[in-house]
Amino acid sequence: MSSRTLSSAINRVSQVTQHLSSQAPLKQQLRLASTSSNTSFKLNTGASIPAIGFGTWQDKDAQEPAVTAALKSGYRHIDTARIYGTEPAVGAAIKKSGVPREQIFLVTKLWNNSHAPGDVERALDASLRDLGTEYVDLYLMHWPSAFKASEELMPKDGSGKLAGGETDYVETYKAMEECFKSGKAKAIGVSNFSRSEMERLLKETSVVPAAHQMELHPYLQQPSFDAFHKDNGIHITQYSPFGNQNPIYTKGENMGKLIDDPVLAEIGQKYGKTGPQVALAWGIAHGRSVIPKSKTESRIQANFAGDFHLEAEDVKKIDALDKKMRFNDPSKPFKYAFYSDLDGKQ
């Protein structure tokens, strides 16, 4: 029996158990939920990435207890980035958790101020020091755009605006390949790339990205781009899996919240799940990992229960929700045309 089939069987048992215990106290339901996440996916390196990850963007001061709660709940995929400022908190939580390092799939990202080839390894070394580890399981280029090389994360030009850099993302990625060869990064990949950028990267570099982290959710599905990744053996991690749930996104602020979509709610009733949990399960059903974030322990645990099997008919119902609605597009402040050939570019 394959790991995915075994996972599905286990999760179906979990669904029945949760349905029968729907009137149980919240703490009891959360204990049941914490055992439900078993799905993982194989990267092109042969390593496995857990389907449910824990995101640590924003709320810097809350991340050590949040990551501690996540690890206690069973998460083994933790996502951070240099720009988040949360690497020290993530490292402290991992150290205090008692969970062996080799059981944790740890992801961080290269920031735009360190795209110059000579700065890439130094940037990774700084992240490793803050994380308290000798390696990361996946190192991503956060954006294809370079800023001016600087110790400042957000370097400014003479007019006080972000100072752009000249380094081409292909040259940056080639420097990341050296980090992969040295073992400091067990896998490398990218984030927020367009299709043409991905095609060029594949043509001009020697290490196929193991993963691409990008905005993807029921309101921004990008099926043709998803297929491109599958054809090339590149795993997708969905960030913002709840779409416009984050108040920082002003695009689409007048539309209803994705997590409140009546289709997700209706499907959730069938499985004894919530709309957000259904949104996560939909991503996993398509073979992608998802990285929800929260600083509230009850929601951290509830999100972890988003790894369950959706029947094909329900996946199709969610597939029909696509609005081609992209909530995260910093093209203007970054002075770079992101997503030029993708759905959701406005």
Side-chain angles (χ1 to χ4, degrees):
M1 181 181 292
S2 70
S3 61
R4 178 75 189 197
T5 303
L6 177 60
S7 172
S8 297
I10 292 171
N11 284 327
R12 292 301 291 171
V13 172
S14 175
Q15 292 160 22
V16 174
T17 303
Q18 290 188 7
H19 175 72
L20 293 174
S21 63
S22 61
Q23 302 303 314
L26 177 60
K27 288 185 178 179
Q28 181 179 343
Q29 291 186 45
L30 291 175
R31 283 199 297 272
L32 288 167
S34 70
T35 65
S36 68
S37 183
N38 299 280
T39 306
S40 63
F41 300 107
K42 284 287 186 181
L43 300 180
N44 58 25
T45 60
S48 293
I49 182 170
I52 290 275
F54 186 72
T56 62
W57 178 42
Q58 300 180 305
D59 305 312
K60 176 181 175 181
D61 294 337
Q63 287 308 321
E64 185 174 338
V67 174
T68 297
L71 291 168
K72 182 179 178 181
S73 298
Y75 288 80
R76 292 297 181 266
H77 171 185
I78 307 296
D79 180 87
T80 184
R82 194 62 181 168
I83 189 62
Y84 300 168
T86 58
E87 290 172 327
V90 169
I94 290 173
K95 183 177 181 180
K96 293 176 182 178
S97 72
V99 177
R101 171 65 184 89
E102 61 271 16
Q103 293 182 14
I104 298 172
F105 192 94
L106 184 57
V107 184
T108 195
K109 307 177 194 76
L110 175 75
W111 187 236
N112 305 13
N113 66 326
S114 299
H115 273 214
D119 293 339
V120 170
E121 185 175 12
R122 286 196 294 271
L124 176 55
D125 287 342
S127 289
L128 294 177
R129 285 194 296 271
D130 281 350
L131 289 165
T133 184
E134 295 181 352
Y135 68 94
V136 289
D137 296 275
L138 178 61
Y139 195 43
L140 303 175
M141 192 188 317
H142 207 148
W143 297 89
S145 58
F147 292 166
K148 177 183 177 181
S150 173
E151 292 298 319
E152 298 293 326
L153 292 172
M154 306 292 283
K156 302 294 192 297
D157 60 21
S159 61
K161 297 181 179 180
L162 275 174
E166 300 297 327
T167 305
D168 184 274
Y169 60 84
V170 168
E171 297 308 311
T172 303
Y173 190 83
K174 288 179 179 179
M176 293 174 64
E177 290 179 329
E178 296 304 312
C179 297
F180 170 65
K181 293 173 184 177
S182 74
K184 291 181 179 180
K186 299 298 184 182
I188 56 174
V190 298
S191 181
N192 298 300
F193 273 52
S194 69
R195 177 161 182 160
S196 60
E197 289 164 343
M198 290 298 292
E199 289 173 340
R200 181 174 168 234
L201 198 70
L202 290 173
K203 181 179 180 181
E204 299 183 18
T205 62
S206 59
V207 177
V208 176
H212 186 179
Q213 187 176 125
M214 61 190 195
E215 181 183 348
L216 205 153
H217 44 72
Y219 285 177
L220 180 66
Q221 300 190 17
Q222 308 175 88
S224 64
F225 201 30
D226 176 72
F228 167 86
H229 287 80
K230 287 181 169 62
D231 289 344
N232 286 282
I234 303 170
H235 177 73
I236 291 177
T237 295
Q238 298 182 191
Y239 75 71
S240 295
F242 301 143
N244 57 342
Q245 171 65 12
N246 195 316
I248 196 171
Y249 296 149
T250 57
K251 288 184 66 177
E253 59 187 350
N254 295 322
M255 63 189 296
K257 296 296 185 185
L258 183 156
I259 60 172
D260 296 328
D261 190 287
V263 173
L264 299 181
E266 180 183 0
I267 292 172
Q269 289 179 354
K270 176 179 176 179
Y271 299 91
K273 298 286 187 175
T274 65
Q277 289 169 331
V278 171
L280 296 175
W282 169 81
I284 295 170
H286 279 287
R288 303 182 291 255
S289 54
V290 292
I291 47 171
K293 62 175 290 292
S294 179
K295 58 182 178 181
T296 305
E297 187 165 3
S298 61
R299 282 197 289 271
I300 290 171
Q301 293 175 324
N303 289 340
F304 193 61
D307 181 4
F308 67 97
H309 175 72
L310 281 174
E311 294 179 0
E313 62 181 10
D314 296 317
V315 174
K316 290 181 180 178
K317 288 179 182 177
I318 302 170
D319 289 346
L321 296 178
D322 194 4
K323 299 180 185 296
K324 296 180 173 53
M325 186 66 198
R326 186 180 297 278
F327 298 107
N328 183 28
D329 187 350
S331 294
K332 186 175 181 180
F334 282 21
K335 302 176 184 177
Y336 190 97
F338 296 111
Y339 321 123
S340 59
D341 53 12
L342 300 180
D343 289 347
K345 180 64 180 177
Q346 300 178 9

